[in-house]
Amino acid sequence: LGSNGAGKSTTLATILGMMRPKNGTITFKGQDITRTPTHQIVDRGLFLVPEWRGTFSTLSVLENLELGAFPTHARPHRDESLRHVFEIFPRLEERQSQRAGTLSGGERQMLAIGRALMARPELLILDEPSLGLAPLIVENIFKVIRRINEEDGVTILIVEQNVNLTLETADYGYILENGSIVGEGDSDEL
């Protein structure tokens, strides 16, 4: 959690290898990934849903989802993953031939999360999943986030400004200010 400019998105970009840290190391499952290329980080099971969703607007919903199954470990499970995504987001199945750019903001967020699930992540990172969405859509997205964590066993890191909803969803939290952690603890405590 943190205000604009606190360093939240920069932290995520650094974890995913899109930026290099000035010092320190980044570890995932006990392995140093500090200098690992982004595509190899994704292959290890980390996947980022970027702020403003990052879908490919000229591609269909189905094509966007299929791109999510690109990591080596996800390819053999493409069909199974697609059925799972359509189970979570029936709206995407209804609109699978529609261009992503014609979807509503909430539908594009569903598509972005669905594409991430196609990659079969062990750690799903969501950057501002509520950004620009209506309150009811935000509630639904956070219900899905809880479901993915509880039913699929996917660890989720959420970067978000919506403090109350995030703390209701998360088990543990960190508060960033000017690139530094200024508070952390169980969500109930925070």
Side-chain angles (χ1 to χ4, degrees):
L1 301 170
S3 62
N4 285 334
K8 302 181 307 291
S9 295
T10 300
T11 299
L12 298 185
T14 305
I15 291 170
L16 267 290
M18 295 179 274
M19 297 179 74
R20 296 288 178 222
K22 290 182 181 175
N23 54 47
T25 58
I26 301 166
T27 59
F28 179 63
K29 295 179 6 184
Q31 295 183 324
D32 184 347
I33 61 168
T34 309
R35 303 267 178 240
T36 304
T38 300
H39 71 279
Q40 290 178 7
I41 291 171
V42 171
D43 271 340
R44 290 184 185 196
L46 281 81
F47 201 96
L48 170 68
V49 175
E51 184 177 9
W52 291 109
R53 304 175 241 311
T55 57
F56 297 98
S57 61
T58 59
L59 298 180
S60 72
V61 167
L62 182 59
E63 289 167 332
N64 269 275
L65 292 172
E66 288 173 334
L67 284 174
F70 187 76
T72 307
H73 70 276
R75 289 178 198 165
H77 307 283
R78 180 193 157 281
D79 293 341
E80 174 189 341
S81 297
L82 188 60
R83 282 191 301 276
H84 184 60
V85 168
F86 287 157
E87 175 193 323
I88 295 171
F89 299 115
R91 187 75 161 174
L92 295 181
E93 185 172 20
E94 295 169 10
R95 299 186 180 255
Q96 63 183 296
S97 61
Q98 188 172 328
R99 284 192 180 175
T102 64
L103 299 175
S104 70
E107 291 167 337
R108 284 187 84 167
Q109 185 63 283
M110 291 176 203
L111 178 56
I113 293 172
R115 186 180 63 207
L117 293 177
M118 293 291 293
R120 302 179 73 88
E122 290 185 48
L123 174 60
L124 175 59
I125 303 173
L126 303 169
D127 191 3
E128 302 283 356
S130 73
L131 189 65
L133 300 179
L136 183 59
I137 302 295
V138 171
E139 278 287 332
N140 289 333
I141 291 294
F142 272 80
K143 284 179 186 173
V144 168
I145 291 168
R146 283 187 215 105
R147 176 184 175 186
I148 292 166
N149 173 251
E150 293 169 3
E151 294 179 16
D152 297 348
V154 176
T155 301
I156 300 176
L157 172 61
I158 303 173
V159 166
E160 181 62 67
Q161 291 183 43
N162 187 329
V163 175
N164 292 331
L165 189 55
T166 303
L167 290 176
E168 288 172 16
T169 303
D171 296 320
Y172 199 85
Y174 297 90
I175 301 170
L176 287 181
E177 189 175 287
N178 297 321
S180 297
I181 297 173
V182 295
E184 68 176 281
D186 289 332
S187 296
D188 293 341
E189 296 171 16
L190 293 177

